[in-house]
Amino acid sequence: MTESSNTSPDTAADDAAPALPAGFALIAEDPQLGPSIAAALELVEARLLEAISNSDPFANATSRHLAQAGGKRIRPLLALLASHLGPNPVNDDVIQTAVVVELTHLATLYHDDVMDSAPLRRGAPTAHEVWGNSVAVLTGDLIFARASSLVSELGGEALGIQARTFERLCMGQLHETVGPREEQDPLEHYLSVISGKTASLIAAAGEFGSLFSGADRRAVDVMVEYGEKVGTAFQLADDVIDVTGLQAKSGKTPGTDLREGVPTLPVLLLRRNAAAGDADAAAVLELVDGDLSSDAALAAAVQALRENRATSEAWAVARQWSDEAVAALEPLPDTVVKQALASFAVAVVERDV
């Protein structure tokens, strides 16, 4: 799940928790939930930076690179919010799980940026651009190790969740790297990649938070299903934003996925429409499949795809996953927690940058 910020690691103002992302305004407005979540996020941020600190100055600098560049901290926030479904919210174990999921997420970003040759992350140069591929990969491994150390203190059930999630993260990346099997539908393959690379960790965040607050199994299962669906919706929206977004706000150059040849939903739908005889789609596909090494060619392809119906169809698919995430919440009691989760699911597909 890609997050962006214009704050560079050298100019980060302080270590305070970031502002609540779109969709979570209900939390801040609630006189009890708001202060609880705000205080917990500040504690998570402090423990996150403590967890990645290293006595080796070089490892310390590389490990703090992305953590200090900003980020919405959506996964910790979901863990904290899910903990309010149980009788013992935001306890020390819940805080620790929130740190674990964000550490795991940060580690994957180091690896993803190397594999994608991404020049920017959260508006700042990626670690591999600063220190090279080997250092970036090893830094990601180091952060994974820190996450594993923390989760080991939480017991066997937590270790099982983390291990299964880590396996899905790796399999998602592997499947993206090798591409669909010859007989496999490209769209089905694409959704399976998203399930592994993005939805798995968001689902784990909801599971951790609800489980370690003492919530009943029904609520835990709801958070797992919700996390899978809202995580998929988020990544689908992110991939459309690669075509429609603005670098000034997102920190990501529009068309990065096109240039790297990463198959995303708008392009997959474009190919399907072209194969079905859509002449306009075929014309746009020629641009998308052409040489995009120059900025002018990339801009032309982005503009053409942005205006093609495949992009609006892609938004519709993302909204369908968002709707299913909201529907998954139905068994929960009608509280501000449920309302905030539903609001977030809507917000992830209503953003345009």
Side-chain angles (χ1 to χ4, degrees), residues 230-277:
V230 82
T232 299
F234 193 106
Q235 188 59 56
L236 290 172
D238 239 33
D239 289 349
V240 183
I241 288 169
D242 181 67
V243 175
T244 63
L246 301 175
Q247 181 179 9
K249 293 186 179 181
S250 71
K252 182 180 181 183
T253 303
T256 297
D257 290 337
L258 290 184
R259 176 172 278 169
E260 296 299 327
V262 178
T264 56
L265 186 58
V267 174
L268 290 171
L269 294 176
L270 183 74
R271 293 190 187 282
R272 187 178 69 180
N273 294 343

Side-chain angles (χ1 to χ4, degrees), residues 89-113:
V90 292
N91 62 67
D92 196 65
D93 285 349
V94 168
I95 296 293
Q96 188 137 321
T97 66
V99 174
V100 165
V101 292
E102 187 65 10
L103 283 173
T104 305
H105 174 57
L106 286 172
T108 67
L109 298 185
Y110 280 85
H111 290 177
D112 285 354
D113 288 342

Side-chain angles (χ1 to χ4, degrees), residues 35-61:
S36 172
I37 293 292
L41 280 174
E42 289 185 7
L43 186 55
V44 167
E45 196 71 14
R47 291 196 184 181
L48 176 66
L49 293 175
E50 179 184 352
I52 61 174
S53 65
N54 198 295
S55 59
D56 181 283
F58 184 68
N60 188 59

Side-chain angles (χ1 to χ4, degrees), residues 274-325:
D278 185 328
D280 183 57
V284 175
L285 190 58
E286 282 192 30
L287 293 176
V288 169
D289 286 342
D291 181 1
L292 301 180
S293 56
S294 74
D295 290 343
L298 181 62
V302 166
Q303 182 66 25
L305 182 54
R306 181 184 295 149
E307 295 173 354
N308 188 268
R309 71 182 177 96
T311 295
S312 60
E313 290 172 349
W315 275 123
V317 173
R319 290 189 180 97
Q320 179 182 348
W321 281 91
S322 170
D323 291 344
E324 291 179 7

Side-chain angles (χ1 to χ4, degrees), residues 52-194:
I52 61 174
S53 65
N54 198 295
S55 59
D56 181 283
F58 184 68
N60 188 59
T62 62
S63 297
R64 294 170 73 90
H65 180 71
L66 279 182
Q68 290 186 308
K72 300 180 180 68
R73 306 294 190 250
I74 287 172
R75 292 156 192 81
L77 178 55
L78 285 174
L80 297 173
L81 190 58
S83 78
H84 281 269
L85 297 174
N88 189 20
V90 292
N91 62 67
D92 196 65
D93 285 349
V94 168
I95 296 293
Q96 188 137 321
T97 66
V99 174
V100 165
V101 292
E102 187 65 10
L103 283 173
T104 305
H105 174 57
L106 286 172
T108 67
L109 298 185
Y110 280 85
H111 290 177
D112 285 354
D113 288 342
V114 170
M115 299 190 74
D116 297 342
S117 300
L120 294 175
R121 169 70 66 178
R122 298 175 175 172
T126 50
H128 73 88
E129 288 284 331
V130 179
W131 294 290
N133 287 350
S134 295
V135 169
V137 169
L138 289 169
T139 300
D141 291 345
L142 180 60
I143 296 174
F144 272 130
R146 292 295 172 89
S148 298
S149 178
L150 288 180
V151 81
S152 70
E153 298 172 3
L154 296 170
E157 189 165 10
L159 279 170
I161 295 170
Q162 180 73 355
R164 290 189 295 274
T165 302
F166 191 27
E167 179 181 11
R168 290 183 62 194
L169 287 166
C170 292
M171 291 301 294
Q173 184 64 68
L174 179 62
H175 288 157
E176 181 178 70
T177 301
V178 302
R181 301 184 304 274
E182 186 174 344
E183 73 280 5
Q184 189 176 17
D185 176 65
L187 185 55
E188 175 190 330
H189 171 267
Y190 166 73
L191 290 172
S192 74
V193 167
I194 289 178

